[in-house]
Structure formats: C-alpha cells, structure tokens
Amino acid sequence: MTKFEILFGIKETEIKKTCVLLPLLAKDMLSNLGIKKLSRGKLYSSGQAQDLTVIVTGIGAGLAGDAVLYLEETACQDIILFGSCGLVEPKRDLGIGSLVSPLLSYSLESFSGMLLDKTKDWKAFPPDKGFMERFLNAAGENEIQKVRCATLGSLKLEEGSVDLFREKDIDVVDMECSSVFSASRHIKKKVMALFYITDIINKKPFYIKLGIEDRLRLSSSIKTAARAICKSTKNSLTS
C-alpha cells in the first residue's frame, strides 16, 4: 500500500481530472455530488462519482493545503474547494444561504499572527480566473456571486476583526481558501472555490442555531451548489 493510499483511502491512480475538496460534510452533500460511499484514509476520506473525485479534508488551512500538495503527481487538473464561509456583515444581496465564489483570498491563516495583530502585510491569492469563469458560465447559476475572502486561523478572533475586514473590502471569511489557492498554484493545478454562507459574524454567529427559514435556504443552496459542480464538471471545464 502506497503512502497516498494510506492517507487518502484510494489509490493515486484513481484520482479523476476534477477533485472537489470538502472541509466538512453537510447533510446530503455526498449524494448530491453523486458519491455513494467514502473510503477512509489516515488523514482524508475519498469518494468517486462519474466525473469527479471528492476528498473530505477536515477543517483548517494545513489539512486542506496538504491535500492539494499530495495531488501533484495525480491525474487531477482542476480543484474545486466546496465549503462554508461566514459573512462579514449583512448586505442586500448577501445573506445566509447565498452562494459565492472568491476572486481572491487574503492569507490570515496564522492564529498567532491574528492574536498579535500582525496583519499589516496581507498577502492575497487568487483562483485560476479562466477556470472560475468557465465554471460559472457552465454552471449557469446566476445567484453565485463573486466576493473577496480572508482565510482565518481563529473563529474567536474574527469576532473583533470586522472593522479590519471592512477596511479591506472583505465580504466573507473561511479557514481553507488561501492555502488551497496557494498550494494549487505551487503544483500548477487550476483552482477555484464555491462557498455557501452559513453565518454572519456577530449577527448570526456560527454557534447559534439558525431559524427554520435560514436552514431551508441553506439546504437549498448547498443542493444548488452541488448541482452546479456536477453540471460544470460534466461539461468539461478545462480547455
């Protein structure tokens, strides 16, 4: 058994052209992506649909970034980070359940950096813009909005950073995006992210149970996003 199979639960040769990275599993997400079962490895769990491979990475920049680096010598060409994000502040066109795709993600992955307020030299990582545009066109989902993201190392510290996010025109925050973007660039793979908004910092925080309307909206948006991924992948995004 190879290192890759030990870590991912499947052989390196089984990886498909499109890989979808899931930091966490929402209800019915696997079935909506066409995944019937997961194979569990030491670090990651992997599953296969007709046109894509799904890898459950767990939450955090390190795990997600490492997963990308391990894909360097595989048949993977296109990487889609599919996960949740928090909204910095309510907006007319953005709320719980909105679907967004980051135009860039600032790297604030360091917990210590956030704690010590070492946020002056913000480094931003973009997706592959051609891949992102082809995805959005192929998906045909007009409700997927382009946003600016920051990838954070602390859920606690984000609560006191809203003014800082406003200064940088940051719309959403997550915990994996910048590492996935930077790692994908490093191994020369195309990458983009598709997020669903699950909370609003200090307004509807991640630890508060959502009302029925928000839960229904969120469930519907996750299904819509999964459908967009399957449709786009089937249409073959890479030129």
Side-chain angles (χ1 to χ4, degrees), residues 112-126:
S112 297
M114 288 190 70
L115 184 64
L116 300 175
D117 198 26
K118 293 183 177 181
T119 54
K120 293 181 179 179
D121 298 321
W122 294 38
K123 189 169 181 61
F125 296 94

mmCIF file with all atom_site columns, all heavy atoms in Angstrom, residues 112-126:
data_model
loop_
_atom_site.group_PDB
_atom_site.id
_atom_site.type_symbol
_atom_site.label_atom_id
_atom_site.label_alt_id
_atom_site.label_comp_id
_atom_site.label_asym_id
_atom_site.label_entity_id
_atom_site.label_seq_id
_atom_site.pdbx_PDB_ins_code
_atom_site.Cartn_x
_atom_site.Cartn_y
_atom_site.Cartn_z
_atom_site.occupancy
_atom_site.B_iso_or_equiv
_atom_site.pdbx_formal_charge
_atom_site.auth_seq_id
_atom_site.auth_comp_id
_atom_site.auth_asym_id
_atom_site.auth_atom_id
_atom_site.pdbx_PDB_model_num
ATOM 1   N N   . SER A 1 112 ? -1.416 32.807 15.640 1.00 0.00 ? 112 SER A N   1
ATOM 2   C CA  . SER A 1 112 ? -0.539 33.719 16.382 1.00 0.00 ? 112 SER A CA  1
ATOM 3   C C   . SER A 1 112 ? -0.457 35.079 15.698 1.00 0.00 ? 112 SER A C   1
ATOM 4   O O   . SER A 1 112 ? -0.403 36.121 16.358 1.00 0.00 ? 112 SER A O   1
ATOM 5   C CB  . SER A 1 112 ? 0.865  33.117 16.513 1.00 0.00 ? 112 SER A CB  1
ATOM 6   O OG  . SER A 1 112 ? 0.826  31.919 17.258 1.00 0.00 ? 112 SER A OG  1
ATOM 7   N N   . GLY A 1 113 ? -0.446 35.065 14.363 1.00 0.00 ? 113 GLY A N   1
ATOM 8   C CA  . GLY A 1 113 ? -0.422 36.319 13.628 1.00 0.00 ? 113 GLY A CA  1
ATOM 9   C C   . GLY A 1 113 ? -1.639 37.165 13.904 1.00 0.00 ? 113 GLY A C   1
ATOM 10  O O   . GLY A 1 113 ? -1.547 38.385 14.092 1.00 0.00 ? 113 GLY A O   1
ATOM 11  N N   . MET A 1 114 ? -2.811 36.522 13.952 1.00 0.00 ? 114 MET A N   1
ATOM 12  C CA  . MET A 1 114 ? -4.033 37.249 14.275 1.00 0.00 ? 114 MET A CA  1
ATOM 13  C C   . MET A 1 114 ? -4.006 37.733 15.719 1.00 0.00 ? 114 MET A C   1
ATOM 14  O O   . MET A 1 114 ? -4.385 38.867 16.030 1.00 0.00 ? 114 MET A O   1
ATOM 15  C CB  . MET A 1 114 ? -5.261 36.369 14.046 1.00 0.00 ? 114 MET A CB  1
ATOM 16  C CG  . MET A 1 114 ? -5.600 36.092 12.595 1.00 0.00 ? 114 MET A CG  1
ATOM 17  S SD  . MET A 1 114 ? -7.225 35.282 12.421 1.00 0.00 ? 114 MET A SD  1
ATOM 18  C CE  . MET A 1 114 ? -8.344 36.617 12.865 1.00 0.00 ? 114 MET A CE  1
ATOM 19  N N   . LEU A 1 115 ? -3.546 36.869 16.618 1.00 0.00 ? 115 LEU A N   1
ATOM 20  C CA  . LEU A 1 115 ? -3.534 37.198 18.040 1.00 0.00 ? 115 LEU A CA  1
ATOM 21  C C   . LEU A 1 115 ? -2.626 38.393 18.327 1.00 0.00 ? 115 LEU A C   1
ATOM 22  O O   . LEU A 1 115 ? -2.958 39.266 19.136 1.00 0.00 ? 115 LEU A O   1
ATOM 23  C CB  . LEU A 1 115 ? -3.073 35.984 18.846 1.00 0.00 ? 115 LEU A CB  1
ATOM 24  C CG  . LEU A 1 115 ? -3.085 36.113 20.362 1.00 0.00 ? 115 LEU A CG  1
ATOM 25  C CD1 . LEU A 1 115 ? -4.509 36.302 20.880 1.00 0.00 ? 115 LEU A CD1 1
ATOM 26  C CD2 . LEU A 1 115 ? -2.462 34.881 21.008 1.00 0.00 ? 115 LEU A CD2 1
ATOM 27  N N   . LEU A 1 116 ? -1.490 38.437 17.630 1.00 0.00 ? 116 LEU A N   1
ATOM 28  C CA  . LEU A 1 116 ? -0.515 39.501 17.844 1.00 0.00 ? 116 LEU A CA  1
ATOM 29  C C   . LEU A 1 116 ? -0.736 40.680 16.898 1.00 0.00 ? 116 LEU A C   1
ATOM 30  O O   . LEU A 1 116 ? 0.071  41.601 16.863 1.00 0.00 ? 116 LEU A O   1
ATOM 31  C CB  . LEU A 1 116 ? 0.901  38.948 17.674 1.00 0.00 ? 116 LEU A CB  1
ATOM 32  C CG  . LEU A 1 116 ? 1.287  37.818 18.630 1.00 0.00 ? 116 LEU A CG  1
ATOM 33  C CD1 . LEU A 1 116 ? 2.666  37.262 18.289 1.00 0.00 ? 116 LEU A CD1 1
ATOM 34  C CD2 . LEU A 1 116 ? 1.242  38.294 20.076 1.00 0.00 ? 116 LEU A CD2 1
ATOM 35  N N   . ASP A 1 117 ? -1.840 40.631 16.152 1.00 0.00 ? 117 ASP A N   1
ATOM 36  C CA  . ASP A 1 117 ? -2.233 41.713 15.244 1.00 0.00 ? 117 ASP A CA  1
ATOM 37  C C   . ASP A 1 117 ? -1.181 41.977 14.176 1.00 0.00 ? 117 ASP A C   1
ATOM 38  O O   . ASP A 1 117 ? -0.930 43.126 13.791 1.00 0.00 ? 117 ASP A O   1
ATOM 39  C CB  . ASP A 1 117 ? -2.521 42.997 16.030 1.00 0.00 ? 117 ASP A CB  1
ATOM 40  C CG  . ASP A 1 117 ? -3.338 44.001 15.201 1.00 0.00 ? 117 ASP A CG  1
ATOM 41  O OD1 . ASP A 1 117 ? -4.060 43.561 14.294 1.00 0.00 ? 117 ASP A OD1 1
ATOM 42  O OD2 . ASP A 1 117 ? -3.227 45.207 15.460 1.00 0.00 ? 117 ASP A OD2 1
ATOM 43  N N   . LYS A 1 118 ? -0.569 40.913 13.699 1.00 0.00 ? 118 LYS A N   1
ATOM 44  C CA  . LYS A 1 118 ? 0.411  41.057 12.616 1.00 0.00 ? 118 LYS A CA  1
ATOM 45  C C   . LYS A 1 118 ? -0.302 40.886 11.272 1.00 0.00 ? 118 LYS A C   1
ATOM 46  O O   . LYS A 1 118 ? -0.137 39.891 10.578 1.00 0.00 ? 118 LYS A O   1
ATOM 47  C CB  . LYS A 1 118 ? 1.532  40.039 12.774 1.00 0.00 ? 118 LYS A CB  1
ATOM 48  C CG  . LYS A 1 118 ? 2.401  40.288 14.004 1.00 0.00 ? 118 LYS A CG  1
ATOM 49  C CD  . LYS A 1 118 ? 3.552  39.309 14.095 1.00 0.00 ? 118 LYS A CD  1
ATOM 50  C CE  . LYS A 1 118 ? 4.453  39.608 15.276 1.00 0.00 ? 118 LYS A CE  1
ATOM 51  N NZ  . LYS A 1 118 ? 5.592  38.679 15.383 1.00 0.00 ? 118 LYS A NZ  1
ATOM 52  N N   . THR A 1 119 ? -1.134 41.873 10.947 1.00 0.00 ? 119 THR A N   1
ATOM 53  C CA  . THR A 1 119 ? -1.969 41.774 9.750  1.00 0.00 ? 119 THR A CA  1
ATOM 54  C C   . THR A 1 119 ? -1.717 42.924 8.778  1.00 0.00 ? 119 THR A C   1
ATOM 55  O O   . THR A 1 119 ? -2.532 43.229 7.940  1.00 0.00 ? 119 THR A O   1
ATOM 56  C CB  . THR A 1 119 ? -3.461 41.762 10.138 1.00 0.00 ? 119 THR A CB  1
ATOM 57  O OG1 . THR A 1 119 ? -3.735 42.920 10.951 1.00 0.00 ? 119 THR A OG1 1
ATOM 58  C CG2 . THR A 1 119 ? -3.822 40.522 10.924 1.00 0.00 ? 119 THR A CG2 1
ATOM 59  N N   . LYS A 1 120 ? -0.562 43.572 8.881  1.00 0.00 ? 120 LYS A N   1
ATOM 60  C CA  . LYS A 1 120 ? -0.289 44.728 8.029  1.00 0.00 ? 120 LYS A CA  1
ATOM 61  C C   . LYS A 1 120 ? 0.071  44.318 6.610  1.00 0.00 ? 120 LYS A C   1
ATOM 62  O O   . LYS A 1 120 ? -0.339 44.965 5.644  1.00 0.00 ? 120 LYS A O   1
ATOM 63  C CB  . LYS A 1 120 ? 0.834  45.567 8.645  1.00 0.00 ? 120 LYS A CB  1
ATOM 64  C CG  . LYS A 1 120 ? 0.445  46.236 9.960  1.00 0.00 ? 120 LYS A CG  1
ATOM 65  C CD  . LYS A 1 120 ? 1.586  47.083 10.508 1.00 0.00 ? 120 LYS A CD  1
ATOM 66  C CE  . LYS A 1 120 ? 1.163  47.754 11.816 1.00 0.00 ? 120 LYS A CE  1
ATOM 67  N NZ  . LYS A 1 120 ? 2.257  48.579 12.397 1.00 0.00 ? 120 LYS A NZ  1
ATOM 68  N N   . ASP A 1 121 ? 0.872  43.282 6.477  1.00 0.00 ? 121 ASP A N   1
ATOM 69  C CA  . ASP A 1 121 ? 1.301  42.842 5.153  1.00 0.00 ? 121 ASP A CA  1
ATOM 70  C C   . ASP A 1 121 ? 0.442  41.659 4.703  1.00 0.00 ? 121 ASP A C   1
ATOM 71  O O   . ASP A 1 121 ? 0.841  40.502 4.825  1.00 0.00 ? 121 ASP A O   1
ATOM 72  C CB  . ASP A 1 121 ? 2.791  42.455 5.177  1.00 0.00 ? 121 ASP A CB  1
ATOM 73  C CG  . ASP A 1 121 ? 3.676  43.631 5.546  1.00 0.00 ? 121 ASP A CG  1
ATOM 74  O OD1 . ASP A 1 121 ? 3.391  44.740 5.094  1.00 0.00 ? 121 ASP A OD1 1
ATOM 75  O OD2 . ASP A 1 121 ? 4.650  43.419 6.304  1.00 0.00 ? 121 ASP A OD2 1
ATOM 76  N N   . TRP A 1 122 ? -0.721 41.979 4.216  1.00 0.00 ? 122 TRP A N   1
ATOM 77  C CA  . TRP A 1 122 ? -1.669 40.950 3.810  1.00 0.00 ? 122 TRP A CA  1
ATOM 78  C C   . TRP A 1 122 ? -1.297 40.421 2.434  1.00 0.00 ? 122 TRP A C   1
ATOM 79  O O   . TRP A 1 122 ? -1.207 41.181 1.472  1.00 0.00 ? 122 TRP A O   1
ATOM 80  C CB  . TRP A 1 122 ? -3.080 41.529 3.755  1.00 0.00 ? 122 TRP A CB  1
ATOM 81  C CG  . TRP A 1 122 ? -3.648 41.955 5.070  1.00 0.00 ? 122 TRP A CG  1
ATOM 82  C CD1 . TRP A 1 122 ? -2.997 42.552 6.102  1.00 0.00 ? 122 TRP A CD1 1
ATOM 83  C CD2 . TRP A 1 122 ? -5.007 41.829 5.473  1.00 0.00 ? 122 TRP A CD2 1
ATOM 84  N NE1 . TRP A 1 122 ? -3.862 42.805 7.128  1.00 0.00 ? 122 TRP A NE1 1
ATOM 85  C CE2 . TRP A 1 122 ? -5.100 42.377 6.769  1.00 0.00 ? 122 TRP A CE2 1
ATOM 86  C CE3 . TRP A 1 122 ? -6.146 41.315 4.873  1.00 0.00 ? 122 TRP A CE3 1
ATOM 87  C CZ2 . TRP A 1 122 ? -6.297 42.423 7.471  1.00 0.00 ? 122 TRP A CZ2 1
ATOM 88  C CZ3 . TRP A 1 122 ? -7.344 41.355 5.570  1.00 0.00 ? 122 TRP A CZ3 1
ATOM 89  C CH2 . TRP A 1 122 ? -7.411 41.890 6.855  1.00 0.00 ? 122 TRP A CH2 1
ATOM 90  N N   . LYS A 1 123 ? -1.117 39.129 2.318  1.00 0.00 ? 123 LYS A N   1
ATOM 91  C CA  . LYS A 1 123 ? -0.836 38.505 1.026  1.00 0.00 ? 123 LYS A CA  1
ATOM 92  C C   . LYS A 1 123 ? -2.107 37.842 0.521  1.00 0.00 ? 123 LYS A C   1
ATOM 93  O O   . LYS A 1 123 ? -2.762 37.105 1.256  1.00 0.00 ? 123 LYS A O   1
ATOM 94  C CB  . LYS A 1 123 ? 0.284  37.477 1.145  1.00 0.00 ? 123 LYS A CB  1
ATOM 95  C CG  . LYS A 1 123 ? 0.770  36.958 -0.195 1.00 0.00 ? 123 LYS A CG  1
ATOM 96  C CD  . LYS A 1 123 ? 2.043  36.151 -0.038 1.00 0.00 ? 123 LYS A CD  1
ATOM 97  C CE  . LYS A 1 123 ? 2.547  35.643 -1.394 1.00 0.00 ? 123 LYS A CE  1
ATOM 98  N NZ  . LYS A 1 123 ? 2.860  36.742 -2.323 1.00 0.00 ? 123 LYS A NZ  1
ATOM 99  N N   . ALA A 1 124 ? -2.456 38.122 -0.726 1.00 0.00 ? 124 ALA A N   1
ATOM 100 C CA  . ALA A 1 124 ? -3.691 37.591 -1.291 1.00 0.00 ? 124 ALA A CA  1
ATOM 101 C C   . ALA A 1 124 ? -3.378 36.588 -2.398 1.00 0.00 ? 124 ALA A C   1
ATOM 102 O O   . ALA A 1 124 ? -2.419 36.769 -3.162 1.00 0.00 ? 124 ALA A O   1
ATOM 103 C CB  . ALA A 1 124 ? -4.559 38.712 -1.842 1.00 0.00 ? 124 ALA A CB  1
ATOM 104 N N   . PHE A 1 125 ? -4.185 35.545 -2.470 1.00 0.00 ? 125 PHE A N   1
ATOM 105 C CA  . PHE A 1 125 ? -4.030 34.519 -3.503 1.00 0.00 ? 125 PHE A CA  1
ATOM 106 C C   . PHE A 1 125 ? -5.320 34.429 -4.317 1.00 0.00 ? 125 PHE A C   1
ATOM 107 O O   . PHE A 1 125 ? -6.414 34.312 -3.746 1.00 0.00 ? 125 PHE A O   1
ATOM 108 C CB  . PHE A 1 125 ? -3.704 33.168 -2.876 1.00 0.00 ? 125 PHE A CB  1
ATOM 109 C CG  . PHE A 1 125 ? -2.388 33.146 -2.151 1.00 0.00 ? 125 PHE A CG  1
ATOM 110 C CD1 . PHE A 1 125 ? -2.333 33.396 -0.785 1.00 0.00 ? 125 PHE A CD1 1
ATOM 111 C CD2 . PHE A 1 125 ? -1.203 32.909 -2.830 1.00 0.00 ? 125 PHE A CD2 1
ATOM 112 C CE1 . PHE A 1 125 ? -1.121 33.399 -0.106 1.00 0.00 ? 125 PHE A CE1 1
ATOM 113 C CE2 . PHE A 1 125 ? 0.012  32.908 -2.161 1.00 0.00 ? 125 PHE A CE2 1
ATOM 114 C CZ  . PHE A 1 125 ? 0.051  33.150 -0.802 1.00 0.00 ? 125 PHE A CZ  1
ATOM 115 N N   . PRO A 1 126 ? -5.221 34.471 -5.648 1.00 0.00 ? 126 PRO A N   1
ATOM 116 C CA  . PRO A 1 126 ? -6.402 34.385 -6.500 1.00 0.00 ? 126 PRO A CA  1
ATOM 117 C C   . PRO A 1 126 ? -6.672 32.950 -6.938 1.00 0.00 ? 126 PRO A C   1
ATOM 118 O O   . PRO A 1 126 ? -5.778 32.090 -6.867 1.00 0.00 ? 126 PRO A O   1
ATOM 119 C CB  . PRO A 1 126 ? -5.998 35.242 -7.701 1.00 0.00 ? 126 PRO A CB  1
ATOM 120 C CG  . PRO A 1 126 ? -4.531 34.959 -7.840 1.00 0.00 ? 126 PRO A CG  1
ATOM 121 C CD  . PRO A 1 126 ? -4.005 34.785 -6.426 1.00 0.00 ? 126 PRO A CD  1
#
